[in-house]
Structures are given as C-alpha cells and as structure tokens.
C-alpha cells in the first residue's frame, strides 16, 4: 500500500506545474493534499475512475483546504475534529476496515506568533482526537504539521530558535504526540539523516541550496511499525513550495 501527502499551496496553480503527471506516476492507493485554496466547483480533476475524492473546503476563499483521493472505498468520512465546526477545512478522516487515515493541515502560529496560543490549544484537541481513534483501530496521520521537530529537521536551527514552526512550545507538542503512541515514519527509517526537507522559502536560490525545513509528515500508530516498508521525501518534485512525502506499507 502506497500513500502520498503533498501541500500543494494552491491546487489550481500546482496542476499547471505538473500535479497530474506526478499523481499518475505515483499510482498511490491514497493521495492526500493540503492547502487546496479553492471552493467546490472551482476545479475539474481527471484522476482516473478508480479514485474516489473527498474534499474539505475552507469557508474563506483561496485559503487552506484539504482533500483525499483514494482507490480504497472508506467505511466512513469525517470532516473536522469530532462534531466541531471546521471553517478552515483542515482535517479529513477516512475510516477503513483495519485503520484510519487522517489528513491534516495544522494551523500556522504566524510569523509574529500571534496565533501561537490558538495553535497550542488546537494541538491538544488534535492529539486527544487521534488518541480516541487509536483506541478503535490504528491511525495513519499525514500532512503539513507546520513544525520542524528536531534540529536536524531544518537547515538553520540556531538562527530559527523561537521562530514560528520551531518554537519550543510547538516542538514539545510534537514530542507529546509521538509519546502518545505514534511513530514518525521518516525518522523510523532515517533517525539521523540531515538535509532532508519538505519545504523551502520562495526566496531566491533557497531551494537550490537546500535551505529547507521538514514539516510534512507521515505518522502512524506505533503498533503499525512492523507494517512499514519505506518512507521517502520526493524533494525533486516541483509545483509547490512543499514537496510530496511518501510512505509504503504492507496491506493492512
């Protein structure tokens, strides 16, 4: 089973930069995207008849949004955290026979950290939600989690201390999430690998010099570790300021 996650930073723009070609090449069983930045009816994707599509659009036009394309028919679909209103379209949960998939676009704390308190409160609710799911069946979480967890997860750790996405508070929330029974699949295979990033600023030459951050993840319930086959970051794939991340697992 192959799963792909990609923050496309505007799906319509990404389609014009090769999204469909990459999608076809991957042949993913489940393909999750974040930051679609569109409303219902604003795009007509030709992904193949074998894929079912599930969308969570933000109320605000041109903002946030998530989607999942799956060859495997889900038993149920849930948008948002439990019964909460979810105006920013940040979460889709698909339930399958043996597992859940949760596609998430985590709120950014903003450059001035004006949304940090909201972000930390959201993290608490998100972790609780995942733990509830995990009591029922294993969970696969993917998406843009908007945090570089460890110093090896970004190029310039020292100069970014305390910046949005690398505050101690945000990093601690990721530590707490992993400690709650989840595994960072990339670090499972590459615990010490450096210079492996999934996001780069649009500033000139930043991506060419690989001055990036690893903020896009696949996490799994730790009891699924024996099913993991591989994890990849497709850093050569363009079309967004993020690149796709991939996990391969034995069929569950």
């Amino acid at each position: 089973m192959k799963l792909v996650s990609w923050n496309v930073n505007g799906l319509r723009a990404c389609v014009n930069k090769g999204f469909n070609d990459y999608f076809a090449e991957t042949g993913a069983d489940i393909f999750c995207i974040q930051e679609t930045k569109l409303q219902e009816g604003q795009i007509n994707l030709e992904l193949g008849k074998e894929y079912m599509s599930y969308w969570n659009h933000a109320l605000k036009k041109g903002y946030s949004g998530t989607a999942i394309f799956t060859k495997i028919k889900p038993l149920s679909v849930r948008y948002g955290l439990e019964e909460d209103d979810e105006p920013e379209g940040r979460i889709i949960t698909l339930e399958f026979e043996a597992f859940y998939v949760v596609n998430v676009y985590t709120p950014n704390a903003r450059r001035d950290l004006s949304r940090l308190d909201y972000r930390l409160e959201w993290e608490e609710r998100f972790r609780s939600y995942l733990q509830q799911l995990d009591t029922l069946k294993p969970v696969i979480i993917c998406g843009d989690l908007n945090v570089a967890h460890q110093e090896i997860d970004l190029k310039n750790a020292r100069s970014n201390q305390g910046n949005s996405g690398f505050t101690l508070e945000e990093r601690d929330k990721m530590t707490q999430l992993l400690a709650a029974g989840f595994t960072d699949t990339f670090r499972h295979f590459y615990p010490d690998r450096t210079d492996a990033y999934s996001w780069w600023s649009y500033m000139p030459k930043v991506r060419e010099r690989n001055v990036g951050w690893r903020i896009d993840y696949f996490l799994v319930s730790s009891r699924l570790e024996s099913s993991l086959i591989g994890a990849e970051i497709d850093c050569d794939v363009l079309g967004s300021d993020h690149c796709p991340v991939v996990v391969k697992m034995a069929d569950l």
Side-chain angles (χ1 to χ4, degrees):
M1 184 171 65
K2 183 177 184 180
L3 300 94
V4 178
S5 175
W6 192 5
N7 180 325
V8 294
N9 193 14
L11 182 57
R12 286 170 292 180
C14 195
V15 163
N16 292 330
K17 299 175 183 177
F19 175 86
N20 288 351
D21 291 338
Y22 176 76
F23 185 94
E25 289 168 7
T26 67
D29 297 288
I30 300 173
F31 197 114
C32 300
I33 61 174
Q34 305 87 42
E35 217 172 349
T36 57
K37 292 186 175 180
L38 48 76
Q39 312 302 124
E40 186 174 0
Q42 286 190 310
I43 196 168
N44 182 25
L45 282 178
E46 300 291 339
L47 300 179
K49 295 180 180 179
E50 68 269 38
Y51 285 98
M52 291 155 276
S53 301
Y54 301 92
W55 301 81
N56 193 3
H57 302 293
L59 294 181
K60 181 180 177 181
K61 293 182 178 179
Y63 179 73
S64 190
T66 48
I68 302 180
F69 314 115
T70 174
K71 292 180 179 179
I72 311 167
K73 186 176 181 178
L75 301 178
S76 68
V77 184
R78 183 182 299 171
Y79 301 97
L81 294 172
E82 297 293 353
E83 302 301 323
D84 291 353
D85 288 333
E86 221 249 309
E88 295 186 353
R90 292 186 178 276
I91 297 176
I92 304 175
T93 302
L94 299 189
E95 178 188 4
F96 298 98
E97 189 69 35
F99 60 98
Y100 291 99
V101 168
V102 179
N103 178 26
V104 60
Y105 176 40
T106 299
N108 191 297
R110 294 181 179 161
R111 183 181 294 272
D112 63 358
L113 302 183
S114 60
R115 217 182 188 198
L116 180 60
D117 287 345
Y118 170 76
R119 160 72 181 266
L120 299 178
E121 183 271 334
W122 190 94
E123 293 273 12
E124 288 291 321
R125 291 191 292 123
F126 184 55
R127 185 175 72 251
S128 176
Y129 174 66
L130 296 177
Q131 289 178 287
Q132 291 174 27
L133 293 180
D134 195 42
T135 64
L136 302 174
K137 59 184 74 173
V139 187
I140 301 169
I141 306 116
C142 69
D144 176 359
L145 301 189
N146 257 318
V147 62
H149 183 218
Q150 302 171 335
E151 290 192 355
I152 58 173
D153 291 318
L154 73 169
K155 187 69 170 183
N156 296 317
R158 181 175 297 180
S159 61
N160 279 292
Q161 294 283 354
N163 286 347
S164 176
F166 199 58
T167 64
L168 291 176
E169 294 91 340
E170 291 166 302
R171 296 169 63 193
D172 185 57
K173 292 301 181 188
M174 173 64 94
T175 298
Q176 292 177 37
L177 177 56
L178 297 176
F182 298 96
T183 297
D184 178 345
T185 60
F186 186 80
R187 288 294 170 219
H188 175 77
F189 290 102
Y190 309 104
D192 303 313
R193 183 173 167 185
T194 60
D195 298 323
Y197 308 125
S198 65
W199 174 80
W200 303 262
S201 164
Y202 277 129
M203 293 177 64
K205 303 296 182 180
V206 166
R207 190 159 184 172
E208 290 87 337
R209 294 186 289 115
N210 197 26
V211 181
W213 297 48
R214 189 176 75 96
I215 59 175
D216 301 89
Y217 296 81
F218 269 100
L219 311 179
V220 299
S221 296
S222 295
R223 62 188 184 278
L224 291 180
E225 286 183 5
S226 61
S227 298
L228 292 172
I229 295 172
E232 305 165 9
I233 301 176
D234 283 347
C235 57
D236 294 329
V237 176
L238 305 178
S240 169
D241 53 345
H242 297 249
C243 74
V245 294
V246 183
V247 70
K248 297 177 182 177
M249 307 180 67
D251 290 339
L252 301 177

